[in-house]
Amino acid sequence: MTRNLWSMRLPVAVSCFLVLFFLAFLTGQRGIPVEDGGEFLTVARLGGINHPPGLPLLSLSSGLSWIIFGSEGLRVLFALTAASALILITKMYSVSSLFFLTGLLLLPSVAGRLLIWDAYGFLFLIYAVAYFRKPPFNLEAGFLLGLALAIHPQGIFLVVLFGFKRSSILQFFCGLLLGLSVYLALPVYSASGAVVDWGSTGTVGNFMRQVTAGGYREVYGGRMWGISADVLMRHLGAIWRILWPVLLLPAIIGAIRLFGRNRKLLIRLEILVVLDLFFVVYINPMAAGTTQTAILSLFVILVLAAAGITAICNWRRTAGLIATGAVLSAGVFLWDSLPDQENEIKVYFAPAPCESVFFLRSNDRLYGGWVLKYVEDRRPDIVLLSTGNFSGWFERMATWYNPDVDLSTGVSDVGDFSMSREELADRLINATIQDNPNRPVFTDF
């Protein structure tokens, strides 16, 4: 795009961005989110480290958003990332493109991945930047790759979008180190005594275990690196829900258009779909079919759909308005608010007597309780523990706010890690009951 042409389109692009931002903010997450959203909100409020591999870029950005915008910070942050990403993957800026992008943002399969408080909206943005910039292997490409890896392991596949002209391997690795340097925030957080110190990365061993997600392999290793028809079908079902009902035809037209005009890009996009499938089936089968997967497939589908809509608009303006209007209509009629478990969390914790201790198996309840206690200060008296996490930092987080609770009995006092997690959990719960006779103890199983 020439400078003059871009200067003519820039005001329209900015207008589209502002509309998308306010729409994303208005339709964004409210209340107490499900899945890992409560953890991200707690880290935004208290500062600290997210679950493995630490997600330092997201942790720092979330904390900054809270400092600037308070309790609305994450809604603002994810609205900015979603609006920016959608603008970057669209090469046409007009009324038709605004219809198209607005409809996209309202589709549940899109909003559930870009606006939900997790790593995937940020990862999508980095892929959109790489797609828009198309850098060769130079300083910029290395920096983008480092930032992508500071968000999610799937960032490694960003290299598929890089070019090869005017490459500089030395610059690329310098940029990579610069982007990866964000990971230094993890030991800094640990050394500063962060309350949420997931992984306690103050030592080299703990740091490497955190960034390589060693804990995940220990817990889910038996379910990884296998081929499961159920996982495959759930993943393909997620892709179909993205395509249907209105993105299938534009994506097909976009693929045909790229086949004729930019076959190399089409091949790269196909590679991303295959890599996404590989990652879900072999690395993260536990989340297959949910909004926590298929983010690269979503990226490819939206790029193809944008190319298809552009082709339709260039062919006939009326046809373009009809096609983009169909996407907008589908978004409006199918839109559904993001999951909010605030009522369920209130109902669950409200009857508990003061000074209660909870051992929770459900992450939804655990992180929902975090929001209730650490973010909203509505139940500062309760103690929240997990049956799946016996790390010392987890108990330090609890005793930081409730120093009178006795959690001195550890795994070595009741058994060892060769025992099943269920038996260890039972023994630790019984020890907690004995050590805290004046505190009611509850479990969710």
Side-chain angles (χ1 to χ4, degrees):
M1 184 181 297
T2 65
R3 180 176 300 180
N4 290 337
L5 183 58
W6 174 247
S7 63
M8 294 172 59
R9 294 187 178 182
L10 182 59
V12 181
V14 171
S15 299
C16 290
F17 169 81
L18 292 175
V19 171
L20 292 174
F21 167 75
F22 285 112
L23 180 65
F25 178 80
L26 292 174
T27 60
Q29 181 70 61
R30 295 179 182 274
I32 299 179
V34 297
E35 297 174 343
D36 296 334
E39 175 201 337
F40 286 101
L41 184 56
T42 303
V43 170
R45 173 66 179 86
L46 301 180
I49 301 169
N50 280 303
H51 63 267
L55 316 176
L57 184 59
L58 187 54
S59 301
L60 293 169
S61 301
S62 299
L64 180 62
S65 73
W66 185 280
I67 292 172
I68 298 175
F69 299 105
S71 59
E72 299 292 343
L74 283 187
R75 288 182 67 201
V76 172
L77 181 62
F78 279 80
L80 283 172
T81 59
S84 301
L86 292 179
I87 286 293
L88 289 173
I89 65 172
T90 305
K91 303 297 179 64
M92 173 190 67
Y93 304 108
S94 62
V95 173
S96 295
S97 65
L98 181 58
F99 285 178
F100 173 64
L101 294 176
T102 302
L104 282 184
L105 196 54
L106 293 174
L107 290 172
S109 57
V110 178
R113 287 172 171 82
L114 299 189
L115 295 182
I116 201 166
W117 295 344
D118 215 317
Y120 302 98
F122 266 67
L123 185 67
F124 188 96
L125 175 60
I126 296 295
Y127 271 85
V129 171
Y131 169 72
F132 183 80
R133 294 286 301 167
K134 298 180 177 61
F137 282 83
N138 58 12
L139 186 69
E140 178 186 2
F143 183 63
L144 286 175
L145 180 59
L147 291 181
L149 289 172
I151 298 171
H152 193 274
Q154 278 186 289
I156 190 64
F157 303 139
L158 193 70
V159 296
V160 174
L161 297 178
F162 296 157
F164 293 94
K165 295 181 179 179
R166 301 182 303 278
S167 297
S168 171
I169 299 301
L170 178 60
Q171 288 186 14
F172 175 77
F173 279 104
C174 289
L176 178 62
L177 291 176
L178 184 61
L180 288 174
S181 67
V182 181
Y183 270 103
L184 295 176
L186 302 187
V188 170
Y189 267 131
S190 290
S192 65
V195 177
V196 187
D197 190 16
W198 205 301
S200 301
T201 55
T203 67
V204 174
N206 285 348
F207 177 81
M208 294 305 299
R209 185 173 184 272
Q210 173 79 350
V211 300
T212 59
Y216 274 0
R217 294 195 303 273
E218 293 170 7
V219 176
Y220 299 112
R223 300 168 63 181
M224 298 165 65
W225 299 105
I227 300 178
S228 168
D230 176 63
V231 170
L232 178 61
M233 294 308 297
R234 281 189 280 133
H235 178 66
L236 295 179
I239 295 176
W240 178 252
R241 287 191 294 273
I242 296 171
L243 285 166
W244 189 258
V246 293
L247 295 184
L248 179 61
L249 181 58
I252 292 174
I253 295 174
I256 295 173
R257 186 171 189 260
L258 290 182
F259 183 82
R261 296 191 176 188
N262 196 341
R263 199 168 301 178
K264 290 183 179 179
L265 175 59
L266 180 62
I267 292 173
R268 294 181 184 214
L269 295 176
E270 291 171 346
I271 291 173
L272 284 180
V273 172
V274 173
L275 292 174
D276 194 32
L277 173 64
F278 171 85
F279 189 89
V280 171
V281 171
Y282 290 101
I283 307 297
N284 195 22
M286 299 74 67
T290 71
T291 56
Q292 293 184 312
T293 57
I295 190 64
L296 299 188
S297 297
L298 174 69
F299 170 76
V300 171
I301 289 170
L302 296 192
V303 168
L304 292 176
I309 289 294
T310 300
I312 294 172
C313 291
N314 290 338
W315 174 56
R316 288 285 191 277
R317 183 177 180 181
T318 302
L321 287 173
I322 293 173
T324 56
V327 176
L328 177 59
S329 299
V332 170
F333 287 110
L334 295 175
W335 178 80
D336 192 12
S337 58
L338 296 176
D340 177 6
Q341 61 169 344
E342 184 167 3
N343 290 334
E344 292 86 344
I345 293 298
K346 286 181 179 178
V347 169
Y348 184 80
F349 288 103
C354 287
E355 310 297 326
S356 295
V357 177
F358 286 89
F359 281 87
L360 300 171
R361 177 176 294 177
S362 165
N363 282 341
D364 282 345
R365 285 187 182 140
L366 175 64
Y367 298 145
W370 279 16
V371 175
L372 201 68
K373 175 182 175 69
Y374 300 119
V375 179
E376 300 180 355
D377 299 320
R378 284 197 271 179
R379 285 301 304 264
D381 60 292
I382 60 176
V383 177
L384 300 168
L385 300 169
S386 169
T387 60
N389 196 317
F390 308 125
S391 300
W393 79 267
F394 214 96
E395 295 182 353
R396 288 194 299 271
M397 180 178 176
T399 55
W400 180 273
Y401 289 91
N402 302 91
D404 58 320
V405 67
D406 185 357
L407 300 176
S408 58
T409 301
V411 172
S412 60
D413 298 311
V414 299
D416 55 60
F417 285 105
S418 65
M419 302 167 60
S420 68
R421 302 180 75 88
E422 290 76 14
E423 185 176 357
L424 273 177
D426 288 339
R427 294 190 180 191
L428 286 171
I429 291 170
N430 290 330
T432 302
I433 293 173
Q434 295 175 8
D435 294 339
N436 299 272
N438 296 324
R439 283 182 174 268
V441 178
F442 298 94
T443 68
D444 61 350
F445 60 95

